[in-house]
Amino acid sequence: MVTGRVPGPDVDEFAETDQVIAALADPAAAGDTLLAVQHPNHTPAALSAGLSVADVLPAAQRMLARVRRSAYRQVTDVVAPYLASGPDGTALGMLCLVDPAAVDADGLARVRQAEQVYPDVVAERAAVLAGLGCATSAAMLVPVTGGADLTAALRQVIDRQAAPAVSLTDSAGRRHQLWLLGPGTDQDDLITLAGRHPLLVADGNHRVAASAAARSPLLALVTGGPGLRVGAIHRLLVGTGLGADDLAAAWRRIGLAVREADPPVVAPDRPGTVVVLAGGRALLVRLPDPAPGEPLPRVDHGVVEHLLIGAALGIDPAGPLVRALPARTALPARTALPAKVGLSAETGLLAETGLAAETAMVAGADAVLLLAPVPYADVLDVHDQGRRMPRKSTYFTPKPRSGLLLAELS
């Protein structure tokens, strides 16, 4: 358990690769940091030398040992009631180890991934996890039913505890509090409640897949809320050389309705349309109606990737020209945007709409495709049908802070 603040930048496993690289390149991040342990192949030294994960793992192992000696104290046989609260919701849950490969008597998975994943990301994270033998960040798992019972039990347990073992506020204004619960009736009861129902992966699909690939336990926050929120994850087009006219023409060629967005331009607050910001202009794209027999509910992110990006532009949605842009806070409904916006001012625009993107994530982007948040009911419906959400389509908040509790896996 961390004894003070997590060593290093206030950027963790939830960040995009570009953000991680930028944070590790910052002179203020020099020295031993948990971020460098989590992403050893993205440090400036590793990138300049072209080193692979296998090349840098020995140094990462040594750095992790130093970080643990300097910033952590050992605790054993605990689960950790955890409360995260802030402007993007409230999550009361329990940090614990979960078997990502567990199945029930019918052979159905107990931990059910909600989204498709990028195989290369899974392979990289599995290699780091296996090499370190330590989990440094937690996935977020939501009981498909019974979440309110778990929340009520956690509240009762926390009310009987002393002050939290960890209490801090992160750079986004979220407060994180963590208690340690050793062996006993309370621990047994919470473990039973947390494992009573299947668990849906709300955040950390790549962590879950990496743990399964590494045949390792999964560090997870099991939470039923009570105030989880689902924010949007948008798409950036970078390095395509395409402007607003190019995009509009390509989409019209495949029969999509595209027009200039009328002022005041608003980000989508419900599925079915996409707002595109490109070259100082704003376009409104109406997605086609679902085809006969198409499984419902349909998730806009799949349509955007396969139709707008893949079919119309000939761009691989999983390739380097397309990046995910999480809405770091829930987008206020019907937030007004300027009628004319330039990408040079994109960071300010996104901040105004509650999308706190880093400058490095947007600089040089050809276009930003703003999508509506996926309704939580749609997430559950897709799961009930045995389908998976498109990759990077939901942004559940608030997330657990990476590095407060490390889990020895060996």
Side-chain angles (χ1 to χ4, degrees):
M1 185 188 72
V2 72
T3 54
R5 295 195 67 85
V6 176
D10 193 11
V11 179
D12 59 23
E13 282 276 354
F14 305 121
E16 297 297 318
T17 300
D18 285 359
Q19 291 176 290
V20 171
I21 292 173
L24 290 172
D26 189 332
D32 293 341
T33 70
L34 191 65
L35 187 66
V37 170
Q38 293 172 329
H39 300 275
N41 55 319
H42 294 312
T43 63
L47 291 174
S48 64
L51 301 179
S52 67
V53 171
D55 295 330
V56 296
L57 269 176
Q61 293 164 347
R62 294 190 293 271
M63 184 180 294
L64 175 60
R66 294 193 299 269
V67 165
R68 290 172 61 170
R69 286 194 299 268
S70 65
Y72 289 84
R73 70 177 178 89
Q74 186 173 12
V75 295
T76 57
D77 202 9
V78 298
V79 297
Y82 187 112
L83 177 62
S85 56
D88 53 1
T90 303
L92 176 57
M94 180 177 71
L95 280 173
C96 56
L97 287 177
V98 175
D99 179 3
V103 296
D104 61 20
D106 297 322
L108 299 176
R110 300 288 293 168
V111 178
R112 299 177 181 176
Q113 288 194 254
E115 290 185 359
Q116 299 166 350
V117 295
Y118 297 95
D120 56 336
V121 174
V122 172
E124 178 181 299
R125 293 193 176 186
V128 173
L129 185 66
L132 295 177
C134 180
T136 61
S137 62
M140 183 190 293
L141 308 181
V142 178
V144 295
T145 59
D149 294 339
L150 177 61
T151 299
L154 283 162
R155 287 194 187 281
Q156 293 176 7
V157 168
I158 287 174
D159 287 344
R160 296 194 294 269
Q161 306 303 308
V166 174
S167 181
L168 58 86
T169 301
D170 66 23
S171 59
R174 303 181 196 89
R175 188 181 184 192
H176 301 265
Q177 295 175 286
L178 180 151
W179 294 260
L180 297 178
L181 192 62
T185 301
D186 282 344
Q187 187 190 91
D188 293 342
D189 289 346
L190 289 179
I191 290 174
T192 298
L193 275 174
R196 179 170 293 170
H197 302 285
L199 301 171
L200 183 66
V201 183
D203 181 78
N205 284 276
H206 288 87
R207 290 179 188 79
V208 175
S211 293
R215 298 184 178 181
S216 163
L218 170 72
L219 179 61
L221 176 69
V222 181
T223 177
L228 295 180
R229 299 183 186 176
V230 184
I233 298 188
H234 311 293
R235 295 295 186 266
L236 296 178
L237 298 181
V238 295
T240 67
L242 299 173
D245 288 335
D246 303 314
L247 296 172
W251 292 330
R252 286 177 179 133
R253 278 196 298 270
I254 62 170
L256 295 178
V258 183
R259 63 174 176 83
E260 297 282 338
D262 297 326
V265 178
V266 295
D269 59 1
R270 64 191 65 187
T273 59
V274 179
V275 173
V276 181
L277 310 175
R281 293 164 58 190
L283 305 175
L284 182 66
V285 183
R286 185 169 299 280
L287 300 180
D289 293 333
E294 181 179 344
L296 299 176
R298 186 179 68 180
V299 180
D300 285 357
H301 296 70
V303 181
V304 167
E305 287 203 342
H306 295 299
L307 188 62
L308 274 70
I309 295 175
L313 303 180
I315 294 173
D316 179 4
L321 303 184
V322 182
R323 302 180 189 176
L325 177 66
R328 298 298 180 186
T329 58
L331 185 67
R334 309 301 292 176
T335 300
L337 310 183
K340 295 292 183 181
V341 293
L343 289 178
S344 60
E346 199 61 43
T347 299
L349 168 68
L350 295 174
E352 290 173 14
T353 61
L355 306 172
E358 299 293 337
T359 302
M361 281 290 293
V362 179
D366 301 315
V368 182
L369 282 64
L370 298 178
L371 290 86
V374 180
Y376 187 42
D378 287 4
V379 177
L380 295 179
D381 285 346
V382 169
H383 166 261
D384 287 342
Q385 296 169 24
R387 297 190 287 137
R388 285 193 182 180
M389 301 280 290
R391 58 187 162 237
K392 297 292 185 180
S393 55
T394 56
Y395 192 76
F396 278 80
T397 58
K399 303 181 185 301
R401 176 70 171 91
S402 180
L404 300 186
L405 194 67
L406 310 183
E408 181 108 40
L409 303 176
S410 58

